[in-house]
Amino acid sequence: MTARTAGETGEWRGWRAAVEAALYGPGGFYRRPEGPAGHFRTSVHASPLFAGAVARLLCRVDEALGRPARLDFVDMAAGRGELVTGVLAALPAEVAARARAVAVEVADRPVGLDHRIEWLTEPPQGVTGLLFANEWLDNVPVDVVEVDSAGVPRRVLVREDGTERLGEPVSGAEAAWLARWWPLPGEEGVRAEIGLPRDTAWASAVSAVAHGLAVAVDYAHTLDTRPLFGTLTGFREGRETAPVPDGSCDITAHVALDACALPGARLLTQREALHALDLTGARPPLALASTNPSEYVRALASAGEAAELTAPGGLGDFGWLLQPVGIPDVLPR
């Protein structure tokens, strides 16, 4: 295989260990002051309509729970608190008065964040409400494997500058995961990402929910659509770039959400989920332009934002994994 860069510096290690250090270690990407929004745009940053839809989802969970005295909203991988802040602002006053808002993030608490928001590095236990993980699992580091010339899947090792070579054959639980969730043809150069750490991370997050709903939203693929050469990539200053594990860029890979799913889960596209939460992107009636021009302009802008959030081939194709815990399905089928 060819090296990604000309230099060869640093120790050889699997991509999981390399990304863990690059993203979350001292001085890592996710500890930098500009936060994720300085490098890539998620649904949260695309429009406040997304936070509004999540707030409506929380209200449906509240109804399913019988309107408890304390309603939890846990924002996993909260960035700088953009989503949890937007959800609090969008809640009806009666619900907001009972809401306990928790942001879970490895970075320090942002200055000036709403005092009502707790800032933790791990989700609290005994959640009664909604745990929402928007683009968290894609940043749970995973190892990469590549099929060698003999048709054997081997772990890909990498140095800090992005240079790669093949390591030992995959075995044990990782080999079993590949066989079940990402079976590889014996063709040299074919790649996969071992999603087992994400399955474990998701199961741990769901275990924090005593009653309510856990939702993971992410770039995703399923067993019948696994890409032949994997999805590992980097993002720097809003642009896709080579994944170099030196802390200078985000490193991400799409998520096998079907492997993460626990019994009783439901998998939707973001388009389907947001439509079920009354966000459609429908244009306002043209007659409104003559009767109330300013309202028409506002409605048209809102429709454009909703269309971006639900667009096929874009954000609308994100996967939503819904995992109810002790409550019925809160989205219509």
Side-chain angles (χ1 to χ4, degrees), residues 281-317:
R283 293 171 62 92
L286 189 59
L288 187 63
S290 56
T291 59
N292 192 335
S294 60
E295 178 60 27
Y296 177 77
V297 170
R298 284 192 295 271
L300 194 61
S302 179
E305 293 175 6
E308 180 183 2
L309 290 171
T310 58
L315 294 175
D317 287 345

Side-chain angles (χ1 to χ4, degrees), residues 4-317:
R4 291 186 183 277
T5 66
E8 291 194 358
T9 59
E11 65 176 309
W12 292 107
R13 50 187 172 175
W15 269 104
R16 183 183 179 190
V19 171
E20 182 72 34
L23 297 186
Y24 305 114
F29 178 84
Y30 275 99
R31 298 184 185 276
R32 292 168 58 168
E34 71 271 20
H39 296 270
F40 54 87
R41 189 166 179 258
T42 71
S43 296
V44 177
H45 309 119
S47 171
L49 294 176
F50 187 78
V54 175
R56 289 193 293 278
L57 179 59
L58 179 58
C59 289
R60 294 191 188 183
V61 171
D62 184 39
E63 293 176 9
L65 290 168
R67 297 182 175 83
R70 189 197 75 200
L71 178 67
D72 295 321
F73 176 68
V74 179
D75 181 10
M76 295 291 297
R80 296 302 177 265
E82 298 94 337
L83 177 60
V84 65
T85 298
V87 168
L88 276 179
L91 288 174
E94 187 277 327
V95 179
R98 293 183 286 110
R100 175 200 182 196
V102 179
V104 179
E105 180 58 68
V106 298
D108 293 337
R109 181 187 181 95
V111 175
L113 186 72
D114 191 320
H115 71 278
R116 295 175 295 171
I117 300 171
E118 295 181 48
W119 194 265
L120 304 175
T121 57
E122 298 288 341
Q125 296 300 303
V127 170
T128 298
L130 174 62
L131 181 145
F132 199 87
N134 185 65
E135 294 195 44
W136 167 51
L137 288 174
D138 68 304
N139 285 127
V140 173
V142 293
D143 272 318
V144 178
V145 299
E146 181 175 315
V147 177
D148 68 10
S149 59
V152 176
R154 292 180 176 269
R155 195 180 314 276
V156 177
L157 305 182
V158 64
R159 284 175 162 159
E160 190 175 283
D161 63 5
T163 307
E164 293 180 327
R165 69 173 174 84
L166 295 186
E168 71 283 0
V170 180
S171 61
E174 294 179 326
W177 189 93
L178 282 174
R180 169 66 181 88
W181 292 109
W182 200 328
L184 292 170
E187 178 183 341
E188 184 178 6
V190 171
R191 284 191 166 203
E193 295 110 23
I194 303 174
L196 187 58
R198 292 168 172 176
D199 299 357
T200 302
W202 181 241
S204 178
V206 172
S207 73
V209 181
H211 297 92
L213 179 67
V215 178
V217 180
D218 238 309
Y219 296 98
H221 45 65
T222 54
L223 186 59
D224 57 346
T225 62
R226 304 280 192 243
L228 278 177
F229 300 102
T231 62
L232 189 75
T233 191
F235 286 93
R236 182 187 294 114
E237 297 176 355
R239 296 184 180 180
E240 191 168 0
T241 186
V244 178
D246 60 0
S248 68
C249 65
D250 184 31
I251 299 175
T252 180
H254 294 198
V255 182
L257 279 179
D258 50 347
C260 295
L262 299 169
R266 181 180 173 195
L267 190 58
L268 306 172
T269 65
Q270 177 156 295
R271 180 180 179 86
E272 293 168 332
L274 292 183
H275 283 180
L277 290 166
D278 305 322
L279 188 65
T280 65
R283 293 171 62 92
L286 189 59
L288 187 63
S290 56
T291 59
N292 192 335
S294 60
E295 178 60 27
Y296 177 77
V297 170
R298 284 192 295 271
L300 194 61
S302 179
E305 293 175 6
E308 180 183 2
L309 290 171
T310 58
L315 294 175
D317 287 345

